[in-house]
Amino acid sequence: MRCCVFPLIACKCVAVIALAWLSLILSACSGEPGTRKLETYHARLSNVLDFSPSALSGSIKPPAFPRPASLRFEAPREELNLLDFLSLYGCELQLVVANQNAALGRVARPSQRLLLHLQFLDSAPACLVQLKEQGKSDLFGQLEMVFESKKHQLPAVMWQALLGAEEARAFWKKPVHLKDYPENTGREPVDAIAGLSRLVKEWQAGRYDYGWKELEGYLDALRKGDGGALLKSWTLIAAHMQAVHTDVKEWLATRGTCTTGQPGFDANIFSNVVRKFFVGEVQPWAAGLNRRFYELIEPVRELERLLGPGEPEAYANWRMARAAFIDSARASMKSHVLQIGELQSLCK
């Protein structure tokens, strides 16, 4: 570009160049911190070792959360005979059954269905005692059968409400932007998951009236949790580490050595790049993700263990695939550390 023909044109050219540089700076600064650290390290490493960085593989991604239809549980409806139901007058169970059979109960969200289920289990024993005292043996036998059936259904109803509904799906949803994740993550989802586990233990022990008021609050906090952000972060690490590993492996296969003095290579610069951009930036970000993993995913695993008796096959498959994906992503960092050691043994 010739910018010295006329003063006005020169000013315009300078302005264009300045604007171009500003755009580059702004685009570089707009990237999310974790992504920027990985990209910077890969670029710096490729520069010092003189290779063109590979593009990221689109095949590295966490398993998709199962479709709603594959997780849905529909409990069979054991309807009490209408005349027999009317004869339950005086039992608290009458209102519970009415709510379950009402239109609202039939279209209620999984958490509300769980509460209705628990209310039935909590109210039925007193009504059974009353029916026995009144000598209503037929109705007693019918209600006892329904009561046992609902106890048997409880694991699936709990699982559906706590791990198969929209709150859990939102927890695992990948965010559009990571921003400065995992900085500024709080204890709220962690405490909520622990709270849900506590409720499950009480209900499994037969204390069906426990924690009804806390349930919706815990689920709301679960909805706002960062399981999806954690998976997205480890996806970025796995993709970049795979690209770096492929590039360095190819470089080692073609060159085999990188002694100082080789054209385009400087061992000191290589060590500085590793120290500044990998050890100084990428590893601390990964360490933060590891801390969040133990804070967040370990309680999730405990809740999943407690709810295991009601777990659908589709979720079990996803859960195992999710664990394998995170383990592989975390292992990619260790593999790169070993690769760096191999490079450093050659690049002296």
Side-chain angles (χ1 to χ4, degrees), residues 50 86 91 124 127 146 157 196 204 217 261 268 278:
D50 191 25
L86 291 176
C91 286
C127 198
V146 174
V157 176
L196 290 174
Q204 288 175 335
N268 291 327
F278 183 71

Side-chain angles (χ1 to χ4, degrees), residues 2-36:
R2 298 188 63 183
C3 296
C4 54
V5 179
F6 297 106
L8 182 59
I9 297 177
C11 290
K12 289 183 177 180
C13 289
V14 170
V16 169
I17 294 172
L19 183 60
W21 275 106
L22 180 60
S23 298
L24 288 173
I25 293 172
L26 289 176
S27 64
C29 293
S30 64
E32 295 169 335
T35 303
R36 188 168 63 247

Side-chain angles (χ1 to χ4, degrees), residues 22-242:
L22 180 60
S23 298
L24 288 173
I25 293 172
L26 289 176
S27 64
C29 293
S30 64
E32 295 169 335
T35 303
R36 188 168 63 247
K37 290 171 183 178
L38 291 164
E39 290 175 345
T40 299
Y41 174 59
H42 195 183
R44 295 281 185 161
L45 191 64
S46 66
N47 184 55
V48 72
L49 295 179
D50 191 25
F51 60 74
S52 298
S54 297
L56 301 186
S57 171
S59 63
I60 297 181
K61 52 188 175 183
F65 197 81
R67 295 175 180 271
S70 67
L71 303 179
R72 191 172 295 120
F73 168 74
E74 294 293 343
R77 295 188 175 279
E78 305 92 341
E79 303 283 349
L80 293 174
N81 180 277
L82 179 59
L83 293 178
D84 288 338
F85 168 66
L86 291 176
S87 70
L88 287 173
Y89 183 79
C91 286
E92 183 183 347
L93 183 62
Q94 185 183 39
L95 180 59
V96 176
V97 174
N99 287 334
Q100 284 188 332
N101 291 337
L104 179 61
R106 295 177 188 275
V107 298
R109 294 185 295 112
S111 60
Q112 292 301 307
R113 282 192 224 126
L114 171 59
L115 287 176
L116 287 170
H117 202 96
L118 292 167
Q119 289 168 12
F120 186 101
L121 292 174
D122 184 56
S123 303
C127 198
L128 284 168
V129 170
Q130 181 175 326
L131 291 173
K132 188 173 184 178
E133 291 175 347
Q134 294 173 350
K136 298 180 179 179
S137 57
D138 290 344
L139 186 54
F140 175 89
Q142 185 181 2
L143 180 56
E144 186 177 44
M145 181 180 65
V146 174
F147 178 62
E148 292 300 323
S149 176
K150 285 191 174 293
K151 283 201 295 185
H152 181 73
Q153 295 165 16
L154 181 60
V157 176
M158 286 193 298
W159 189 94
Q160 181 69 53
L162 306 186
L163 290 178
E166 60 183 27
E167 293 88 357
R169 188 173 296 276
F171 174 85
W172 292 110
K173 185 178 180 180
K174 182 175 65 175
V176 176
H177 301 294
L178 285 173
K179 299 180 181 178
D180 60 351
Y181 187 82
E183 299 295 326
N184 302 315
T185 50
R187 290 282 312 174
E188 188 177 8
V190 177
D191 293 339
I193 295 166
L196 290 174
S197 292
R198 186 169 59 253
L199 297 185
V200 171
K201 290 176 182 178
E202 294 292 332
W203 297 334
Q204 288 175 335
R207 291 182 279 274
Y208 303 122
D209 62 340
Y210 184 86
W212 293 354
K213 293 182 180 180
E214 288 83 3
L215 176 61
E216 293 296 345
Y218 288 153
L219 288 175
D220 185 59
L222 178 69
R223 179 197 300 273
K224 301 171 185 175
D226 50 293
L230 188 64
L231 287 180
K232 182 176 181 179
S233 299
W234 281 114
T235 301
L236 288 172
I237 286 182
H240 279 276
M241 289 299 100
Q242 183 193 64

Side-chain angles (χ1 to χ4, degrees), residues 274-286:
V274 171
R275 183 168 55 252
K276 181 177 180 180
F277 297 103
F278 183 71
V279 177
E281 295 189 0
V282 174
Q283 280 191 324
W285 185 54

